[in-house]
Amino acid sequence: MIARLLGLVELPDWVRHVVDVLAGVLLLAIIVGFWLRAHDNAVIDKHEAKVSQQVQTMSSAGAADASAVVAQSKQEVETSNAKARTAAAGSDDPLRAGLDSLRHDNPPRPAAH
């Protein structure tokens, strides 16, 4: 049938049958290729949705942890500052007393890498 559509009517019957079979195989390969591509895209989309949800969960947990650390650091700084103010208020040299108090509360830290 395909051989006739292509104008190959003068060829022997077995050649026309081979052309028809090859055309059928090609058509089937095209259909399977489109199906596989659609299937792969569906699998990829499903995986991306799962990974996106995991990233969202981890990001939320990280943000919560970061907020807790910031709140703790803020409290430590406020406590240290209050001690420095108290030390400065009861000293003849308030600047020195306040700075000494801050140095004592906050020893030098090694550089982060």
Side-chain angles (χ1 to χ4, degrees):
M1 181 166 148
I2 298 294
R4 287 187 181 140
L5 289 175
L6 295 175
L8 303 174
V9 290
E10 297 172 1
L11 294 175
D13 285 342
W14 70 270
V15 174
R16 283 184 290 177
H17 289 300
V18 169
V19 170
D20 288 342
V21 168
L22 290 176
V25 169
L26 179 63
L27 180 62
L28 183 61
I30 290 171
I31 291 170
V32 169
F34 279 118
W35 181 83
L36 285 174
R37 184 177 180 122
H39 178 265
D40 287 350
N41 286 339
V43 169
I44 289 169
D45 290 344
K46 182 178 177 182
H47 180 69
E48 284 179 347
K50 180 180 174 183
V51 169
S52 293
Q53 181 60 38
Q54 290 173 341
V55 167
Q56 179 81 17
T57 301
M58 293 171 87
S59 175
S60 296
D65 290 346
S67 293
V69 169
V70 166
Q72 179 184 356
S73 294
K74 180 180 177 187
Q75 183 60 42
E76 289 172 2
V77 167
E78 289 176 357
T79 301
S80 180
N81 287 345
K83 287 180 183 178
R85 279 191 292 278
T86 302
S91 173
D92 294 340
D93 188 358
L95 181 60
R96 181 182 178 121
L99 292 176
D100 286 345
S101 174
L102 289 174
R103 282 188 202 107
H104 175 53
D105 285 349
N106 304 302
R109 297 181 184 176
H113 296 277

